[in-house]
């Protein structure tokens, strides 16, 4: 049992913190206020390998692991939740399933571009009538010679218009339910593939969230990801990995809110002393920090298990459930400790609280995580 | 082209604490970084490598912990790293430091040797020029920019108080670089993954070309008599007077302080 980071991980943490502080933090408020996708940040991240952390070197990635990847999402999210989810969706939901389930040809074609950040990746599972119940897919893929014809739509898709490649799911055999779902890789610009409305969101406002529309979209069979009818399993496995990323995002948001709050309570004076002198402030901070540290342990444990090829799906669910609920609680307390100032956009905790909420919803709501955890206990 | 960059590990603070008893720096508890001017020098080398192709060796003299900055240099793109470390090097002043470094550099083949202008802890700006003297090489200090013609000649922009000098110098030569020359790149993720898989060559006094009596504390003519933090200046004096009277007061004050 070892709770220390390796020297390599420490060096990595130092670099990513510097990067987050100097390149990401200065843009966070603006990106939120203007609901603007921070493309310049993506370019900077691409240059130093942040868009391909756990992708092996042979496919143009950095050759790092999931622990490093989770640390990166944590540090980025500590200053900007938007930037955290851009990296998370790109890495966990697009590059990872191609790496895991793609043919050698598909890996050669997509991974170097994704890992270098030249291309951004996205993932389309959710539909208007298939959210938590992802099995209720209505998008269809009909075989036509060497092609599949895709019809349907996906909603709430992260990275949307800014992405170049999408892992999507469609029904190849409606009569088979979840056993009739197949995964495909689709590129932007494919005829029949367009974008629908852009969502106006509560938080992570710089992250692009759009509808994907497929109208008689012709995809060659070589774009099938994994085997025919194996799509549902691929989606669930992909989400297991993605939950580590979102848990890390939640963890970062909580830590970021703590960092801001510790600074603030030492400066703000009421009743002739810093508000940090009140025992209530101290106890709130103690609880915030303890829960955040517990989240960190869960996130790192899940990442460690994934890196070491140990079944981690329950660990990822626990990490996401706990880190997300902690992020909500901690950012809420952070606003409370900032008083009225915390409710204004003068201070970043207001944004952090809005950003935190989504971590309880996407990639499986907290209720879904509880289902995963308890199902494993009762099986 | 072969480039060697001298990098030094320094405490990451401008408020260096000094042990009042020994007069030396207290390094415990202060995070360590690559000296900023040296990082600028390394970035300059990395840019030359990208433009013209080059092999970059970084070298540091320092305690075992200095390994960290060599790993960082690997992660930024350096090709080879040498760590000079030996108990015999301990307590070196600038002369003994530059002497040991020169002893190691004699073993290396290079066209360009880059050092920082000065280290933020010692702040003497002596080591670079001293190395050039030990090696009998031409030197240009305070560089803001450097271009290479791809053959033998460097064009350098040297920052001086009144402006700039543009010089042409032939390889091999020694330059000292200012941190304002560029913005150093971040370590890359892939570079970090590789940094601990690469070998840092560790050299002691026996691996280099030196006379042992000129190393470390023994070889250091500098002895620190006393080191102290400068006290705060008292608040200034304020006079509300007209211009003529003010000039008179200023002249008297300057005479008092023997400035006039
Ligand atoms: C900003 C944003 C980004 C997103 N990005 C992506 C993306 O990139 N790709 C993608 O595919 N999707 C994405 N999503 C979709 C997201 O994963 C879904 O919104 C989420 O899975 C919930 O589905 P739903 O919205 O349909 O909610 P519903 O499924 O309608 O859920 C509503 C409520 O009912 C609860 N509930 C549902 N079923 C049960 C049950 N059986 N037992 C108990 N409670 C239940 C839920 O927990 C929730 O509280 C994104 C969503 C948002 C808002
Ligand atoms: C008065 C005085 C007393 C000192 N006493 C002690 C002492 O008691 N004990 C002790 O341990 N040290 C002592 N030093 C340490 C001194 O800081 C080192 O000798 C130092 O390496 C060189 O001086 P500097 O920091 O001023 O470097 P500068 O001359 O300012 O550095 C210029 C450049 O030379 C290169 N360089 C300098 N040092 C190194 C290095 N070690 N490895 C690689 N490149 C390098 C870098 O590129 C740097 O940017 C003393 C220094 C002074 C001035």
């Amino acid at each position: 049992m070892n709770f220390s980071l390796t020297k390599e991980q420490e060096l990595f943490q130092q670099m990513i913190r510097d990067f987050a502080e100097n390149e990401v933090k200065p843009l966070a408020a603006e990106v939120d206020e203007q609901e603007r996708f921070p493309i310049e940040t993506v370019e900077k991240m691409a240059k130093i390998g942040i868009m391909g952390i756990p992708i092996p070197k042979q496919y143009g990635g950095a050759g790092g692991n999931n622990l490093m990847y989770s640390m990166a999402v944590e540090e980025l999210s500590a200053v900007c939740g938007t930037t955290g989810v851009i990296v998370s969706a790109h890495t966990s939901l697009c590059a990872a399933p191609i790496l895991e389930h793609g043919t050698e040809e598909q890996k050669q074609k997509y991974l170097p571009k994704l890992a270098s950040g030249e291309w951004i990746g996205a993932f389309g599972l959710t539909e208007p009538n298939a959210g938590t119940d992802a099995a209720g897919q209505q998008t269809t893929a009909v075989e036509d010679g060497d092609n599949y014809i895709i019809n349907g739509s996906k909603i709430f898709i992260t990275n949307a218009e800014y992405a170049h490649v999408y892992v999507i799911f469609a029904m190849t055999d409606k009569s088979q339910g979840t056993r009739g779902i197949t995964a495909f890789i689709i590129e932007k610009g494919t005829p029949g593939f367009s974008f629908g409305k852009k969502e106006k969101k509560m938080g992570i406002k710089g992250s692009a969230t759009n509808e994907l529309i497929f109208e008689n979209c012709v995809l060659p069979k070589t774009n099938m990801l994994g085997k025919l009818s194996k799509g549902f399993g691929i989606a669930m496995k992909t989400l297991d990995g993605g939950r580590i990323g979102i848990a890390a995002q939640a963890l970062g948001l909580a830590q970021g809110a703590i960092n801001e709050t510790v600074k603030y309570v030492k400066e703000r004076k009421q009743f002739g002393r810093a508000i940090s002198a009140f025992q209530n402030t101290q106890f709130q901070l103690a609880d915030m920090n303890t829960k955040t540290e517990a989240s960190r342990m869960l996130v790192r444990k899940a990442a460690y298990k994934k890196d070491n090829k140990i079944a981690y799906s329950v660990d990822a669910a626990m990490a996401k459930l706990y880190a997300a609920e902690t992020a909500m609680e901690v950012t809420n307390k952070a606003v409370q400790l900032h008083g009225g100032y915390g409710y204004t956009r003068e201070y970043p905790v207001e944004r952090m609280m809005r950003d935190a909420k989504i971590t309880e919803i996407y990639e499986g709501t907290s209720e879904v995580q509880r289902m995963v955890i308890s199902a494993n206990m009762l099986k | 082209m072969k480039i060697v960059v001298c990098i030094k590990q320094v405490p990451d603070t401008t408020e260096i604490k000094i042990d009042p008893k020994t007069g030396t720096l207290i390094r415990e508890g202060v995070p360590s970084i690559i000296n900023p001017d040296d990082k600028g020098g390394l970035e300059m080398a990395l840019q030359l490598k990208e433009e013209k192709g080059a092999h970059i060796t970084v070298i540091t003299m320092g305690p075992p912990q200095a390994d960290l900055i060599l790993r960082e240099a690997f992660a930024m793109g350096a090709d080879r790293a040498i760590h000079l470390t030996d108990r015999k090097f301990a307590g070196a002043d600038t002369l003994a430091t530059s002497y040991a470094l020169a002893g190691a550099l004699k073993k290396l083949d290079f066209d360009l040797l880059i050092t920082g202008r000065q280290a933020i802890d010692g702040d003497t700006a002596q080591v670079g020029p001293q190395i050039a003297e030990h090696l009998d090489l031409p030197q240009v200090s305070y560089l803001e920019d450097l271009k290479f013609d791809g053959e033998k000649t460097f064009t350098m922009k040297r920052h001086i108080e009144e402006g700039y000098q543009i010089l042409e110098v032939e390889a091999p030569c020694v330059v000292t670089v200012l941190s304002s020359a560029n913005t150093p790149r971040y370590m890359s993720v892939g570079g970090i993954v590789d940094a601990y898989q690469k070998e840092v060559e560790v050299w002691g006094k026996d691996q280099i070309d030196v006379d042992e009596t000129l190393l470390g504390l023994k070889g250091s003519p500098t002895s620190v008599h006393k080191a102290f933090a400068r006290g705060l200046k008292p608040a200034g004096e304020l006079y509300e007077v007209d211009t003529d009277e003010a000039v008179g007061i200023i002249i008297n004050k300057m005479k008092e302080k023997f400035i006039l």
Side-chain angles (χ1 to χ4, degrees):
Chain A
M1 190 98 228
N2 186 351
F3 286 100
S4 317
L5 295 178
T6 62
K7 285 183 175 176
E8 175 192 291
Q9 288 155 359
E10 274 177 13
L11 198 62
F12 177 72
Q13 192 176 47
Q14 175 199 324
M15 181 283 279
I16 199 85
R17 268 193 193 152
D18 271 5
F19 181 86
E21 188 69 25
N22 297 319
E23 314 293 336
V24 183
K25 193 177 180 181
L27 286 179
E30 175 194 321
V31 155
D32 174 67
E33 193 75 35
Q34 299 175 359
E35 310 206 1
R36 179 173 79 72
F37 187 88
I39 188 73
E40 67 273 50
T41 306
V42 174
E43 282 163 11
K44 286 181 194 167
M45 293 194 292
K47 216 168 145 189
I48 58 176
I50 298 176
M51 301 302 275
I53 296 171
I55 307 303
K57 293 225 163 165
Q58 67 182 114
Y59 299 115
N65 56 23
N66 289 287
L67 184 60
M68 288 167 81
Y69 159 66
S70 76
M71 289 165 67
V73 175
E74 175 189 343
E75 297 295 341
L76 295 168
S77 303
V79 298
C80 175
T82 283
T83 306
V85 75
I86 292 171
V87 174
S88 185
H90 165 88
T91 310
S92 286
L93 299 187
C94 186
I98 293 176
L99 176 66
E100 217 156 302
H101 309 283
T103 60
E104 191 53 38
E105 214 178 345
Q106 290 169 336
K107 292 188 214 182
Q108 296 287 355
K109 183 170 179 194
Y110 295 109
L111 291 178
K113 286 206 167 79
L114 287 168
S116 67
E118 185 188 336
W119 280 8
I120 297 174
F123 174 87
L125 176 68
T126 306
E127 297 184 1
N129 295 313
T132 300
D133 184 13
Q137 296 281 310
Q138 282 168 13
T139 297
T140 55
V142 177
E143 197 173 353
D144 178 30
D146 288 340
N147 300 314
Y148 275 96
I149 316 288
I150 317 278
N151 276 292
S153 73
K154 300 286 168 182
I155 48 160
F156 299 147
I157 306 309
T158 301
N159 290 342
E161 293 174 288
Y162 291 88
H164 305 80
V165 49
Y166 307 74
V167 169
I168 61 139
F169 300 84
M171 279 285 184
T172 36
D173 186 351
K174 276 201 160 176
S175 67
Q176 295 297 309
T178 55
R179 289 207 195 88
I181 298 172
T182 302
F184 295 92
I185 303 171
I186 179 165
E187 287 175 39
K188 179 151 78 187
T190 304
F193 171 25
S194 62
F195 300 99
K197 83 168 179 354
K198 180 182 168 178
E199 302 297 341
K200 295 199 170 101
K201 304 190 294 291
M202 172 196 278
I204 55 162
K205 288 188 174 189
S207 144
T209 315
N210 287 61
E211 187 180 5
L212 309 182
I213 299 166
F214 308 105
E215 286 165 309
N216 293 321
C217 180
V218 182
L219 266 190
K221 278 186 173 166
T222 49
N223 279 37
M224 187 188 288
L225 179 63
K227 293 206 172 67
L228 182 70
S229 312
K230 297 291 179 198
F232 193 72
I234 291 175
M236 292 305 115
K237 250 186 116 180
T238 300
L239 289 172
D240 283 344
R243 283 167 192 161
I244 297 177
I246 300 309
Q249 184 198 21
L251 165 61
L253 283 162
Q255 187 63 56
I258 291 174
N259 297 348
E260 294 298 332
T261 306
V262 166
K263 232 176 10 191
Y264 185 79
V265 298
K266 287 198 226 162
E267 282 161 11
R268 174 68 177 169
K269 290 204 171 61
Q270 287 294 281
F271 297 96
R273 45 192 179 154
I275 60 172
S276 61
F278 302 127
Q279 195 177 52
N280 177 62
T281 307
Q282 297 161 0
F283 282 12
Q284 297 292 337
L285 285 174
D287 289 348
M288 289 157 76
N289 217 29
T290 303
K291 291 193 172 179
T292 301
E293 188 59 21
S295 304
R296 184 171 289 113
M297 293 297 115
L298 287 171
V299 171
R300 294 203 175 156
K301 185 181 171 204
Y304 165 87
K305 283 192 159 183
K306 183 166 188 338
D307 284 331
N308 289 282
K309 313 234 174 323
I310 303 167
Y312 68 93
S313 128
V314 174
D315 302 86
M318 287 179 173
K320 183 181 179 278
L321 169 64
Y322 193 76
E325 294 194 343
T326 297
M328 209 49 234
E329 183 183 331
V330 166
T331 53
N332 185 15
K333 287 187 169 171
V335 169
Q336 190 66 19
L337 287 172
H338 276 69
Y341 296 95
Y343 196 68
T344 72
R345 297 205 182 158
E346 288 300 301
Y347 288 89
V349 289
E350 177 269 346
R351 182 185 76 242
M352 290 168 169
M353 184 174 162
R354 285 185 287 108
D355 286 356
K357 183 61 206 176
I358 189 61
T359 65
E360 293 183 307
I361 297 172
Y362 56 19
E363 302 203 22
T365 59
S366 289
E367 292 72 32
V368 168
Q369 311 310 328
R370 289 188 165 91
M371 289 183 215
V372 171
I373 297 162
S374 58
N376 183 265
M377 295 166 76
L378 300 171
K379 74 179 172 194
Chain B
M1 181 175 32
K2 291 200 171 96
I3 307 175
V4 177
V5 187
C6 291
I7 60 176
K8 185 186 182 189
Q9 189 177 43
V10 293
D12 182 10
T13 171
T14 38
E15 280 173 57
I16 293 166
K17 289 186 197 80
I18 294 175
D19 184 331
K21 274 192 205 131
T22 60
T24 51
L25 305 175
I26 305 171
R27 286 166 194 272
E28 285 78 46
V30 188
S32 294
I33 55 167
I34 298 181
N35 180 48
D37 283 343
D38 307 4
K39 209 167 178 180
L42 177 55
E43 177 61 31
M44 191 177 265
L46 291 166
Q47 287 178 12
L48 278 171
K49 178 177 167 176
E50 279 163 359
E51 284 160 25
K52 307 272 180 185
H55 179 275
I56 302 173
T57 302
V58 287
I59 182 166
T60 193
M61 179 176 122
Q65 311 84 275
D67 179 74
L68 183 67
I69 61 164
L70 296 172
R71 304 291 171 182
E72 194 175 336
F74 270 148
M76 287 172 72
D79 301 295
R80 181 182 179 194
I82 298 169
H83 188 172
L84 281 187
T85 189
D86 196 309
R87 286 189 176 281
K88 290 275 194 287
F89 298 148
D93 66 0
T94 62
L95 185 64
T97 299
S98 63
Y99 178 69
L101 284 167
L105 290 162
K106 280 182 196 161
K107 300 248 158 190
L108 301 172
D109 173 31
F110 57 84
D111 305 290
L112 178 65
L113 173 66
I114 299 178
T115 80
R117 168 196 44 185
Q118 70 194 55
I120 55 171
D121 54 351
D123 258 336
T124 67
Q126 291 171 353
V127 172
Q130 286 175 355
I131 291 172
E133 290 304 306
H134 289 305
L135 299 176
D136 203 16
L137 286 173
Q139 57 169 291
V140 181
S141 54
Y142 296 8
L143 245 60
E144 287 253 288
D145 194 22
L146 179 145
K147 296 262 178 297
F148 183 53
D149 71 353
E151 309 237 322
K152 229 184 150 23
T153 313
F154 297 102
T155 307
M156 305 175 179
K157 184 175 169 190
R158 177 172 192 255
H159 187 92
I160 55 173
E161 252 177 61
E162 310 82 57
Y164 295 102
Q165 288 177 338
I166 305 288
L167 298 104
E168 276 192 359
V169 185
E170 284 197 350
C173 59
V174 179
V175 299
T176 82
V177 173
L178 309 184
S179 61
S180 55
N182 50 47
T183 308
R185 68 198 56 200
Y186 289 93
M187 293 178 261
S188 74
V189 184
I192 292 170
V193 171
D194 289 343
Y196 279 92
Q197 266 139 50
K198 289 186 179 170
E199 189 208 353
V200 166
E201 295 165 50
V202 179
W203 292 6
K205 69 167 173 46
D206 297 332
Q207 277 79 48
I208 62 175
D209 192 355
V210 283
D211 172 354
E212 207 184 308
T213 61
L214 299 177
L215 291 173
L217 197 56
K218 262 197 284 176
S220 297
T222 318
S223 72
V224 180
H225 174 60
K226 191 182 173 195
F228 53 92
R230 218 169 18 175
L232 286 176
K233 282 189 185 158
E237 292 167 36
L238 200 63
Y239 298 90
E240 278 188 45
V241 292
D242 63 24
T243 317
D244 283 348
E245 212 177 322
V247 170
I249 292 171
I250 292 169
I251 288 176
N252 280 335
K253 284 277 170 205
M254 289 175 104
K255 281 184 178 157
E256 247 173 60
K257 304 255 179 209
F258 303 105
I259 295 168
L260 287 180

